[in-house]
Amino acid sequence: MASYSIEGIVLRHADYRENDRMLTLLTPRGRVDALSRGCKRPKSPLLPCSEVFTLGNYELLGSKNHCVITSCLLTDSFYPLRLDIDKLSCAAYMANVCEATVQPEEDARRPFLLLARALGCLSYQSVAPRKVLSVFLLHYAVAMGYRPRLKHCVQCGERLPEEDSVLFDIEQGGVVCSRCAGQSRRAAMLSPAERAWLAEALAQGVRGELPPEDAPLPLLQAYLESRLEKRIPPLLTPL
């Protein structure tokens, strides 16, 4: 059987037999399901790298559909996530998004980098979890090809004043003017502060001056989930 090495983040694990786990890994080459044999034994060298959110370089044996982890060089466990329920909730939501969207054997370099950076930001930077999750969802939507349109009406193309509150059409992915609002089947109100927040987040990411209270998190959740075939489990705690 072939052996190969790949960098991965554990999105989910499920107990298998007495001492084994099935891991779902997000890798730059897509989603990989791998068996971690004996990892639940207290002295197993695979135990640290078989936990959710672990980032490491995994040595895999077998085919792409049926593989076994033989070793792993641990890069980061993102341990601080486990000490804060809000951070843990955001990390779990992001992992669920990745699992729902990334398929086996596809180019997943952008989702992989987005998740790794977001987990690092949650763990080691003093950034509000709501801000990190909102920026992640926005840039994940862009990576999927769904960049929201914020300046011009998605229906007629009219440029909308930045100081006005507008409707955001979730299905069409952009703001709509008052004349076209009646044609929207699913829309949410977007305040000037929220609209400016989205524009800044697109340009600067978490480095921008983005007050977390202005992050339109429910809208971003609805916007991204409308593009997915699966329903994402809700956050463990409200942000």
Side-chain angles (χ1 to χ4, degrees), residues 166-188:
V166 294
L167 282 177
F168 185 92
D169 190 310
I170 293 173
E171 298 298 334
Q172 297 196 53
V175 294
V176 292
C177 66
S178 57
R179 292 194 304 273
C180 300
Q183 303 176 40
S184 299
R185 292 181 297 177
R186 188 183 178 196

Side-chain angles (χ1 to χ4, degrees), residues 87-99:
K87 293 180 179 181
L88 185 63
S89 178
C90 290
Y93 192 92
M94 292 188 293
N96 286 330
V97 168
C98 293
E99 185 177 3

